[in-house]
Amino acid sequence: MSQFQTRYVCQNCGYESLKWLGRCPECETWDSFVEEVVLRPTHKERSKSKSAQTVSSAADAAAPLPITQVEMASQPRILSGIGEFDRVLGGGIVPGSIVLVGGDPGIGKSTLLTQVAYHIARAQTAGSVLYISGEESAQQIRLRSARLGAETERLFVSVETDIERIEGHLEKLRPTLAIVDSIQTTQDGSLDSIPGSVSQVRACAARLARFSKAIGVPVILIGHVTKEGNLAGPRVLEHIVDTVLYFEGDRQNAYRLLRAVKNRFGSTDELGIFEMREQGLISVDNPSAALLAERAQDGIGSAISATLEGTRALLVEVQGLVARSFLASPRRVINGLDPNRVNMILAVLEKRLGLKLAEQDVFVNVAGGVRVVETAADLAVAMAVISSFREQPVEPTTVFIGEVGLNGEIRAVSQGEKRLREAARQGFRRALIAKHHLAELKDRVGLEVVGISTIAEALPKGLLPGGR
């Protein structure tokens, strides 16, 4: 007979141990081991199962084929009716795929997916959408749908946490799309562990992935996020699914960002921007204008740069504040940028321009909650910090695009024409870029392009007179 055994599993990475450990040797997380009881088959049962699997595998195995003879099956994607959501997915939902959506509590995950479910259900001439919830009652889901105006006869609701019953609903209904809210509440009855544990999350996600691909029904899973901002559960959960999306933003801010960190069917560089309103989440068709709407035209310590998010150019406001420090070690607070990159730029400003920043607190922020991961905003960071240090306003109709080198030189960045065209579309009249790209861009965009070689050259052209 099978035997029950006790093991301890790290709830962060899934590492297993026969005894409790204070610190996980795999991910080095403290106090993350939880006791779980598992059913271990005997040696005889394992041998019998292995023999049966060997016979079955030999019978079902297909002969290897040259890759050129493999049939290329292309299926049309399912459009959600929400442009920004489809953009991040790479053009829509792929049939048979499994998507994991994570985000902070209350950020709007359920609201977004309720709207997605409604749009897809309403667009179907045949078929339906199934919304499975383990956290809310059917009445709560109905109230949210009524508030969003997302009610249709083709949207089915089920309050269920048992994975076998969920598979039964999927098999019977065969919906166009299934949404599971959330994967942490789903449980497999064959495992003697609590819902949300590593074993349960991993087993339920794997079963849903296999079932989804077998019947061709795409499944969207909602996942919890830890206080560190990572998806709760083992990292293997992200390896099981096809696409991982993060829903980001501040609940006090109206804007929300949807970002792909893994996508087997598209780019991971795309960014979706939404605005939270009373009627739900609304796609922002002109994100540059939305992010710059509250910018002070004559503000000190504010510079505009053009960054690329996938295939789209986006204008962002980089804010800098330099203040006298009364601490032995001055503070460096950086939001929306790589802290190491910003610290390097500060060192360049002190070494090449003589700015005494070692005794100053420096705060750098990208307005609107956007995170910039490329080097095109280096010049804007430098100009914002210099503007605040000298109390000298930045020229409000100028956009700054360029990478800053260790010698203070300005280097060119890719796809400059696309960035400059977006700046011209938003009403900017001049751009400071690397002189290396001046010749090929000067007469191809609708604004004045000025080439510079160093940060020092940018100061008289990018700052207004005055200050100190």
Side-chain angles (χ1 to χ4, degrees), residues 320-380:
L321 175 63
V322 180
R324 180 184 175 187
S325 179
F326 296 93
L327 303 175
S329 178
R331 289 178 293 177
R332 300 288 187 263
V333 180
I334 301 162
N335 295 316
L337 292 157
D338 181 7
N340 294 326
R341 189 78 192 173
V342 174
N343 286 327
M344 185 206 76
I345 296 173
L346 298 180
V348 171
L349 296 181
E350 182 151 0
K351 180 70 174 179
R352 304 303 175 189
L353 297 184
L355 271 65
K356 303 301 182 181
L357 299 175
E359 300 177 354
Q360 307 286 328
D361 289 333
V362 180
F363 304 85
V364 179
N365 176 59
V366 179
V370 178
R371 178 165 181 80
V372 179
V373 296
E374 62 171 349
T375 59
D378 286 0
L379 182 57

Side-chain angles (χ1 to χ4, degrees), residues 87 267 269-271 307-314 415 418:
R87 172 194 291 272
S267 171
D269 296 326
E270 296 292 352
L271 178 71
T307 182
L308 284 179
E309 292 291 346
T311 59
R312 177 170 58 186
L314 186 67
Q415 302 189 50
K418 180 180 291 188

